[in-house]
Amino acid sequence: MDAIPETEEIVRKQLNILRHNETIQILTKGGSLCFYGEWFGRPYDNYHKIIHTSYDGEIFEIIFDQQERLLVYKPKNITSTEKELKIAKAQKVKWIYIPYGTTASENIITYTAEGGILSKETKYGIERVKLKEPFDAVYMG
């Protein structure tokens, strides 16, 4: 039985799974969401209540009360107050939600910003736009 933790560590290293849970203090309870300057819905029209957060050193995950999930890959400069949450930079932002008023399967929007170009991927394809201003990867307020 003593070999099990050692074996698990070897398998994790070989599969490059070296993640561990870290704590990020989030004071924000919820709000409207904006990704790279693009609001999800109208500004301040929707309220997304945070019910759980986790961070494993690579992916910051926020779970909301309406079965929505936000995955922020390699987040940088996370700030949180009672009124807002900001994540200045991220490798990728993935928003997973079920459209309001439906019981349809979940929709996924993936944002990737690289070299001043924002790529937004949905089930309809990929849209690329030039970022006009330096926006936070994620803003909730």
Side-chain angles (χ1 to χ4, degrees):
M1 293 303 263
D2 292 333
I4 292 174
E6 185 178 332
T7 305
E8 183 178 325
E9 174 105 10
I10 291 168
V11 170
R12 285 180 181 275
K13 283 181 181 176
Q14 288 181 349
L15 295 176
N16 200 22
I17 304 172
L18 299 175
R19 298 180 185 165
H20 57 283
N21 285 332
E22 295 180 25
T23 303
I24 296 177
Q25 183 74 20
I26 300 298
L27 302 173
T28 313
K29 304 292 183 217
S32 292
L33 285 166
C34 184
F35 309 108
Y36 294 99
E38 181 178 280
W39 289 92
F40 181 73
R42 290 181 173 167
Y44 305 105
D45 195 30
N46 300 311
Y47 186 85
H48 304 275
K49 182 179 177 186
I50 296 173
I51 60 171
H52 180 73
T53 64
S54 65
Y55 181 58
D56 66 7
E58 292 283 323
I59 301 171
F60 179 46
E61 179 179 32
I62 303 174
I63 299 174
F64 298 91
D65 65 337
Q66 297 295 311
Q67 300 176 333
E68 301 156 324
R69 290 176 55 212
L70 179 63
L71 303 171
V72 184
Y73 295 75
K74 297 189 178 180
K76 293 189 182 197
N77 301 333
I78 300 171
T79 57
S80 176
T81 67
E82 288 184 16
K83 294 187 178 191
E84 63 184 19
L85 169 67
K86 291 182 183 181
I87 303 173
K89 296 183 183 225
Q91 181 184 60
K92 179 173 31 175
V93 175
K94 188 179 281 192
W95 174 236
I96 304 165
Y97 69 99
I98 296 173
Y100 297 121
T102 70
T103 56
S105 61
E106 62 190 20
N107 282 348
I108 301 172
I109 302 173
T110 304
Y111 298 87
T112 308
E114 207 172 316
I117 302 294
L118 176 66
S119 296
K120 177 183 173 184
E121 184 176 352
T122 67
K123 64 183 177 183
Y124 303 110
I126 299 175
E127 175 185 348
R128 289 185 174 84
V129 294
K130 186 172 182 170
L131 287 170
K132 297 177 186 127
E133 296 181 31
F135 292 109
D136 291 319
V138 175
Y139 171 80
M140 173 183 273

